[in-house]
Amino acid sequence: MHRLHPRTTYLIYVLGDGFAFRLMGTIFSVFLVLELGLNPLQLLLMGTVLEGTYLLLEIPTGVIADTVSRRLSVVIGLAGAGAAFLVLAGSHSFGWALVSQAMWGVFATFTSGADVAWLTDELGEDVARPLYLHYDQYWMVGALAGIAASVGLATIDLRLPIFLSGAGFLLLAAFMAVSMSEQGFQPRVRPEGERLHASLTATFKDGVREVRAHRVLLLILAVAALYGASTEGFDRLADFHLLRDIGLPSLGRVDPVIWFGVLDGASLLLGIGGLAILKRRAHLQGHAVVAKLLMGIDALLIMSALVFAFVGTFWAAAAMFLVIGLLRSLRDPVFTAWINQGLEPGTRATINSMGSQADAVGQTAGGPPLGLIAVRFSTPAALAVSALLSAPSLLLYLRAIRRGSVGTLAPDEIDAHLQLDEEDMETPEIPEGPKPPS
């Protein structure tokens, strides 16, 4: 069976994923608040169910991706996410919404880590590292189209974008099943007579051994946990805060949908521009350099989130919302590049899954307490506490910086790898454009 070139496949993947995710995500909170009538605690419990499920299964599914097949793991994850969003579209109660989040948490673990590990295997680490930023921009392009479609469809019915998002993920799963090559993946060779579960356990132990031997990875996982705890409050309460505490300027019957579409779209445009600048100027030359960049981004995120929590006008809150969206768009691919430096191919997906699991630990632990703070005191108080939960990570960045730089890539090499070599491709060249979520 003819497979597409990995670059072409991954381009279509990120465009499709961005479109389908934002088709649902743009009106997700509006749907939960206005259609299902959830309060702040229920919103955060939705996140707790999602992240708790993710937490339980993230490493086991990462081990499967390292042991059995990256392609199979990605396809299962996309198809399961599609099914979860179809359930959400049909939900009429908090209970069914929770079921959809549990399903999403289960199947998101199959994709997490496996997609990045697949790209790195197929292209090589030095080539793939600078492309994280490159493809994140294309994710944002797909997401921008998804936002526009979501707003238009929501004027007809709030459930329609969610339903079509689920169908879109099912179609994307079918495409990836057909188009993904897997030439770079080398599954762990099982000794004769070794059962599959023993092979999976051995892969997991190899990943743990690599993390323990590579102390910067321990710091990375700790940073991921703190960041997860911090973002959970904002992700679940920011839209509620704008809807219920501050209020949105009236634009007619569907004003909340339009306003969130405008805010999300503007945030993505800023992210596309910001990543274009970052791709040119920030050279990911090792742990110390990347840690300095992430420390600056996280410090600005903390300050921006605190301002967002306490400003009283829509326009000031909207400005901070956009700043936070821009900073998070810059942070995600840089963090991906950080955790993937110098990893052994045989445990790459497992360690990426450990990073995602650390984030899920923070979100799961932080969600219920922040929900109680929002109910007992106020939503701004919960948002402020959420912002401050990330502050200790600044000290961890300093420790990572002191440990030095490894896995370097020269600036001219990065620029060279961003230019797609037609001689290496059997499919049309991907144009270099001006990305992503969460």
Side-chain angles (χ1 to χ4, degrees), residues 145-312:
I147 289 171
S150 181
V151 171
L153 292 167
T155 61
I156 302 172
D157 190 324
L158 274 176
R159 298 177 184 272
L160 186 56
I162 302 175
F163 175 82
L164 292 178
S165 172
F169 273 109
L170 292 174
L171 288 175
L172 187 58
F175 165 78
M176 295 298 280
V178 172
S179 65
M180 285 179 77
S181 63
E182 205 164 27
Q183 297 176 353
F185 174 59
Q186 297 295 327
R188 181 180 180 273
V189 178
R190 294 198 311 229
E192 186 176 354
E194 183 182 69
R195 294 187 176 181
L196 178 60
H197 71 84
S199 184
L200 296 174
T201 301
T203 301
F204 172 70
K205 289 181 178 178
D206 288 342
V208 172
R209 189 178 302 111
E210 184 171 354
V211 170
R212 293 181 64 184
H214 195 332
R215 294 192 175 184
V216 174
L217 279 175
L218 290 173
L219 296 178
I220 292 173
L221 297 182
V223 167
L226 291 169
Y227 181 72
S230 179
T231 57
E232 177 68 359
F234 184 86
D235 287 343
R236 298 292 172 171
L237 297 180
D239 291 355
F240 183 93
H241 181 52
L242 289 171
L243 278 168
R244 299 301 194 198
D245 299 329
I246 294 178
L248 305 176
S250 178
L251 289 178
R253 185 176 63 87
V254 293
D255 51 324
V257 173
I258 294 175
W259 273 116
F260 285 116
V262 169
L263 289 173
D264 286 348
S267 179
L268 281 173
L269 287 174
L270 288 173
I272 291 171
L275 282 173
I277 296 172
L278 182 67
K279 188 172 66 177
R280 298 286 191 276
R281 300 184 177 219
H283 303 303
L284 309 181
Q285 295 177 279
H287 288 290
V289 171
V290 180
K292 288 178 183 178
L293 180 57
L294 286 170
M295 183 170 68
I297 292 174
D298 278 10
L300 291 173
L301 272 171
I302 292 168
M303 292 185 288
S304 301
L306 286 172
V307 174
F308 176 82
F310 292 115
V311 294

Side-chain angles (χ1 to χ4, degrees), residues 132 261 376:
Y132 301 141
R376 178 66 178 84

